[in-house]
Amino acid sequence: MYVVTEQQDRSFMMKREGVSHGDHLFPLKKYDVVLSESFPLVPAHWHEEAEFTWIRSGACVYHIDLCDYPVQEGDMILLPPRILHSSGFFPRDHMMSESFVFHLDFLGMGGSDVCSMKYLRPFASREIVFPYVFQADHPANPLLRDMMRQLSDEYISRGDGYELRMKALFLELFSRIWPYRLLKNPAPSSRDQSEKLKQVLDYIDAHLEDMIPVADLARICCFSESHFMRFFKLHVGMTCTEYINTLRLERAWKLLQSGQVSVIDAAFSSGFHNLSYFYRIFKKKYHMTPKEAFATVQSQ
């Protein structure tokens, strides 16, 4: 199981994910996420895989394709590939969830049989859509929760043949929710803006070592700078500067943890060209200086 905490690698949460969920033979991974005051949100991101989530306790708001979906204990969430999403907790509350991120190729989407062409590919392209959230009182919810329990048991125990059983469970999941498919996308009007935000996040990631003027990002969206800044804060949950600094600090942390680069090189390679500023916000985030982070690795 993977529990997200403030100082663990969270690169999979940002932008288009650059990590693998499993491998090409078994493209599936399980994540446990805890949202709290110390880690209040999972920033906007998207990936090529689908995602199946159980809200184990607490409550939060999922932001899916630029629309808000409040969720609470017992709710189940199913997201298609390539959809922009994030989550944040309610004040004075918490949220614990259990998720599987899985590529539809695991279920045979790359084939040419009827299951691929009639069900899996249309789901991936959002020609066929299901509710993003199956609330606790939805008729399919008890079955989905039972499937999640079985998937978790198989994933953790990894007994002989568990891959076959997990594949069968995911296929059964789609067969059981098929009657609840929707006639149209639940948020079609937000698709264009969602695609614009994806382009912005990808641009930031590709130019993280460079200066990134807000004007350049606004131009991607064809927005004015002021409108872009409001748009970004609304849908990402933080200002553009906060988001860029978060990515740069994550990169610097990983470089320092590798033990292969100096503090100065880690700063410059992450896009920080003012060392005093880098030291100040690094210590604020990780409660140690970059030198202390580097020394910790060297002493191990």
Side-chain angles (χ1 to χ4, degrees):
M1 290 190 294
Y2 188 100
V3 179
V4 176
T5 61
E6 186 169 1
Q7 293 189 10
Q8 286 177 310
D9 173 21
R10 296 202 303 273
S11 61
F12 73 93
M13 294 180 185
M14 304 293 184
K15 51 162 172 76
R16 178 179 180 178
E17 296 178 342
V19 300
S20 298
H21 302 281
D23 55 44
H24 71 284
L25 291 178
F26 192 56
L28 178 153
K29 196 166 184 179
K30 184 176 184 293
Y31 298 96
D32 292 336
V33 175
V34 179
L35 296 183
S36 63
E37 288 188 8
S38 61
F39 180 53
L41 79 155
V42 175
H45 66 287
W46 60 283
H47 39 68
E48 298 290 343
E49 296 85 357
E51 186 169 321
F52 180 44
T53 297
W54 179 11
I55 306 299
R56 297 296 304 268
S57 64
C60 71
V61 175
Y62 262 71
H63 203 53
I64 306 168
D65 226 5
L66 308 190
C67 293
D68 288 341
Y69 295 85
V71 297
Q72 58 187 348
E73 182 175 336
D75 290 350
M76 307 298 296
I77 301 163
L78 179 65
L79 301 180
R82 300 178 61 83
I83 193 166
L84 192 68
H85 58 287
S86 62
S87 59
F89 84 118
F90 291 121
R92 297 188 301 277
D93 205 339
H94 74 285
M95 192 282 296
M96 297 179 62
S97 68
E98 187 173 343
S99 299
F100 280 99
V101 180
F102 61 101
H103 202 288
L104 291 172
D105 282 351
F106 174 56
L107 306 185
M109 185 180 71
S112 57
D113 64 357
V114 66
C115 292
S116 172
M117 293 188 289
K118 186 176 179 180
Y119 305 105
L120 298 178
R121 290 184 190 176
F123 170 71
S125 65
R126 283 189 265 174
E127 296 171 41
I128 292 175
V129 294
F130 299 96
Y132 294 140
V133 179
F134 292 83
Q135 296 177 324
D137 59 355
H138 191 283
N141 182 281
L143 176 65
L144 294 179
R145 274 187 285 168
D146 184 59
M147 286 184 162
M148 176 63 83
R149 292 189 188 96
Q150 294 181 64
L151 286 165
S152 295
D153 289 345
E154 295 291 350
Y155 187 85
I156 293 169
S157 66
R158 306 208 171 198
D160 189 29
Y162 80 99
E163 300 96 335
L164 287 170
R165 289 188 290 275
M166 292 190 72
K167 182 173 182 176
L169 283 166
F170 274 115
L171 287 171
E172 183 181 357
L173 183 156
F174 282 101
S175 74
R176 294 301 187 95
I177 65 172
W178 183 251
Y180 304 106
R181 63 193 183 280
L182 305 175
L183 297 178
K184 61 180 181 178
N185 192 305
S189 61
S190 66
R191 184 74 62 86
D192 288 345
Q193 290 193 338
S194 179
E195 291 301 320
K196 287 180 179 179
L197 188 53
K198 286 182 185 178
Q199 293 176 33
V200 168
L201 300 184
D202 287 345
Y203 181 91
I204 290 172
D205 183 58
H207 297 83
L208 206 55
E209 297 178 25
D210 308 323
M211 295 292 291
I212 306 177
V214 171
D216 290 353
L217 302 178
R219 198 172 298 116
I220 293 172
C221 298
C222 301
F223 291 161
S224 68
E225 290 185 37
S226 58
H227 180 63
F228 169 77
M229 289 187 288
R230 291 193 298 270
F231 169 79
F232 193 94
K233 176 70 178 293
L234 174 65
H235 296 302
V236 178
M238 59 181 74
T239 67
C240 198
T241 298
E242 290 170 338
Y243 178 81
I244 292 171
N245 280 343
T246 297
L247 287 187
R248 286 174 171 166
L249 287 171
E250 293 287 353
R251 179 178 290 187
W253 173 266
K254 290 178 69 175
L255 289 171
L256 292 171
Q257 290 293 295
S258 74
Q260 303 299 311
V261 298
S262 67
V263 171
I264 293 177
D265 287 340
F268 288 166
S269 296
S270 303
F272 291 106
H273 301 286
N274 182 322
L275 289 179
S276 62
Y277 178 68
F278 170 60
Y279 266 72
R280 185 168 68 254
I281 66 172
F282 188 97
K283 186 172 183 179
K284 182 179 180 180
K285 180 177 179 65
Y286 293 111
H287 309 293
M288 65 177 73
T289 67
K291 283 187 177 180
E292 290 170 340
F294 181 77
T296 300
V297 176
Q298 296 299 308
S299 65
Q300 293 176 352

